[in-house]
Amino acid sequence: HVCENLQNGVGRTIRLHEDEEYNLFLIANLKTGIGGVPKVVKWTDVHDQLPASKPLAVAIGVAVNNKLVYQDSRTWPHIFVAGSTNMGKSNQVKSWICSLMLRNTPDQVQFYFIDLKRGLALGKFKNIPHCAGFAKQPEEAAEMIREIVKIGRKRLDSFEEKCEDLIGWNAQFPHQRLPYIYVIIDELFDLMNANPELRGEMISLIGEIHRQHRAAGIHDILSTQIINKQVADIQIIGNAPSRCCFSLPGLSQSMLVLNNGRATTLLDHPGRCVYRGRGSDVIVQSPWITDKEVQDSIDMVIAGHQASQEFTPDDLWRVILHNLGGLAAYREVKDACVGQISEYRLKKWLKGAEYNLSLIHI
């Protein structure tokens, strides 16, 4: 209430900061839009700013001074997302999914979706070509996690005495490339509280993924709105160093996720969250992605994948040879093939033919 009253009085964002000696400070940021954390951030704006050299990067949000905070999702290596209902938790996860599927082909990234909200939160993604599995009941989810653990163990067995992780495998065996796997669980509380026997097994298997399977290219995104000791078990949250915490109603819940009370000071502002990477906490405004943007992204990915399946490398060479005279800049090739093949698959084919993507000469 002190923060809110001051905020209204001075027209600046006010937040509480607690140091290691339990001293409390009120921090008045610069005015929103000039140097403070913005009130609203559009997903399209931050998605376009993601570095092209990091296709597995996702936008966490925008911090003070309009600084974009993004993270290469391979370095999470697992992330725990928490927050009260309608605070932006599911929206954040959807924005990450859209960025990853738009910037990577199904050969590079696969998703396993566990949506225990009866499929209402993530059901739209069920038909994308990147989807390797979808579950909306605890028993289905448990079977899927068992299968993912088997995949991770098989990969690690293959890596033995050959490489240390998936990056090394794909570099040594380009014709046997394996995709990164993202396991997305929304709502973790329902999985942990389905029944006592299932809870113990899931804690053990998710803990194994967190401890061992990062090297196999398997990453978790765990989302929940109810925080207790069963959900925030040490085997789960202890090996998920990255946290994205939206507003929480109680100090005890914030302590379980962040080990401090900062999640209770976000003033119930939708999209405002505390992000903890490998460094200190930072308050950001997460990107807002609309339902239309989600659906448009899905339609684009599906259309591009279908066109790419029908369009063969021979078709590409014919376009370059006959339509472009056998000599063309990459930009011209891309324009000539628009609607027939996705840009990602086009780049992959040309790289496979050892073209440097600046000039193609047949």
Side-chain angles (χ1 to χ4, degrees):
H1 291 302
V2 170
C3 283
E4 188 172 356
N5 289 335
L6 279 174
Q7 194 162 268
N8 293 334
V10 302
R12 297 170 183 261
T13 55
I14 306 290
R15 62 183 176 88
L16 279 169
H17 173 71
E18 180 181 348
D19 66 13
E20 295 178 354
E21 298 178 354
Y22 301 101
N23 294 312
L24 288 174
F25 298 90
L26 285 169
I27 299 178
N29 290 331
L30 297 177
K31 288 187 176 181
T32 298
I34 299 175
V37 180
K39 290 183 178 179
V40 179
V41 172
K42 294 181 179 179
W43 171 74
T44 50
D45 293 341
V46 296
H47 174 74
D48 293 340
Q49 294 181 52
L50 293 172
S53 60
K54 297 181 179 179
L56 293 169
V58 295
I60 306 299
V62 176
V64 295
N65 299 318
N66 286 322
K67 179 184 178 182
L68 173 63
V69 178
Y70 68 88
Q71 185 69 56
D72 187 325
S73 54
R74 290 173 296 183
T75 64
W76 277 341
H78 314 285
I79 188 164
F80 191 86
V81 185
S84 301
T85 184
N86 292 327
M87 287 295 105
K89 174 174 50 33
S90 296
N91 187 82
Q92 178 78 297
V93 175
K94 289 177 186 177
S95 74
W96 293 342
I97 297 170
C98 286
S99 290
L100 289 170
M101 73 180 186
L102 285 171
R103 306 179 78 223
N104 298 274
T105 67
D107 297 332
Q108 297 166 323
V109 165
Q110 289 183 353
F111 297 109
Y112 286 83
F113 297 109
I114 296 175
D115 183 358
L116 298 178
K117 295 178 179 177
R118 299 188 178 183
L120 298 177
L122 304 176
K124 290 183 177 181
F125 299 103
K126 189 175 182 179
N127 296 319
I128 63 173
H130 303 70
C131 179
F134 193 94
K136 56 183 181 180
Q137 298 295 334
E139 293 75 18
E140 295 175 340
E143 186 58 38
M144 183 180 292
I145 290 174
R146 295 185 193 108
E147 184 62 30
I148 292 165
V149 169
K150 290 179 183 177
I151 293 172
R153 291 171 180 171
K154 183 178 179 180
R155 287 187 175 188
L156 293 177
D157 289 340
S158 301
F159 294 174
E160 194 170 348
E161 298 182 0
K162 296 184 181 73
C163 58
E164 294 184 0
D165 53 25
L166 185 65
I167 296 176
W169 174 271
N170 287 341
Q172 290 187 53
F173 305 98
H175 300 296
Q176 302 178 47
R177 292 179 64 86
L178 298 171
Y180 285 91
I181 291 175
Y182 289 86
V183 186
I184 301 173
I185 302 179
D186 187 13
E187 158 90 28
L188 183 62
F189 176 84
D190 292 333
L191 180 61
M192 293 294 105
N193 288 272
N195 64 66
E197 294 181 1
L198 191 63
R199 179 198 304 150
E201 182 188 9
M202 291 301 99
I203 288 175
S204 176
L205 292 179
I206 293 174
E208 180 180 335
I209 291 173
H210 284 192
R211 293 190 308 273
Q212 301 180 21
H213 294 177
R214 178 204 62 80
I218 299 177
H219 304 282
D220 276 346
I221 298 175
L222 308 177
S223 175
T224 185
Q225 67 182 19
I226 301 177
I227 308 295
N228 57 25
K229 290 183 178 180
Q230 285 76 29
V231 173
D233 185 273
I234 188 63
Q235 291 193 62
I236 294 177
I237 202 168
N239 287 293
S242 297
R243 319 277 169 84
C244 195
C245 193
F246 295 81
S247 178
L248 289 172
L251 178 62
S252 60
Q253 294 174 309
S254 182
M255 290 293 293
L256 282 171
V257 180
L258 298 171
N259 297 323
N260 60 47
R262 297 187 75 177
T264 64
T265 67
L266 299 177
L267 304 178
D268 291 335
H269 183 90
R272 191 64 51 89
C273 69
V274 179
Y275 174 64
R276 172 178 296 173
R278 294 188 175 275
S280 58
D281 295 351
V282 57
I283 294 180
V284 301
Q285 182 67 26
S286 64
W288 170 252
I289 185 168
T290 65
D291 290 341
K292 185 179 185 304
E293 288 170 336
V294 172
Q295 191 59 55
D296 288 347
S297 300
I298 291 171
D299 293 342
M300 188 184 306
V301 167
I302 292 175
H305 182 66
Q306 290 173 342
S308 297
Q309 287 180 316
E310 297 169 0
F311 193 74
T312 67
D314 287 341
D315 294 326
L316 174 62
W317 309 138
R318 289 191 190 98
V319 167
I320 298 172
L321 185 60
H322 299 295
N323 296 15
L324 301 175
L327 180 65
Y330 169 71
R331 182 186 66 257
E332 295 172 314
V333 177
K334 185 180 75 171
D335 291 343
C337 297
V338 74
Q340 301 180 76
I341 182 173
S342 69
E343 184 176 351
Y344 299 106
R345 190 166 291 268
L346 175 61
K347 286 182 178 178
K348 185 176 180 180
W349 284 359
L350 292 174
K351 283 182 178 178
E354 298 183 354
Y355 287 105
N356 64 8
L357 299 186
S358 60
L359 189 69
I360 295 94
H361 184 194
I362 296 183

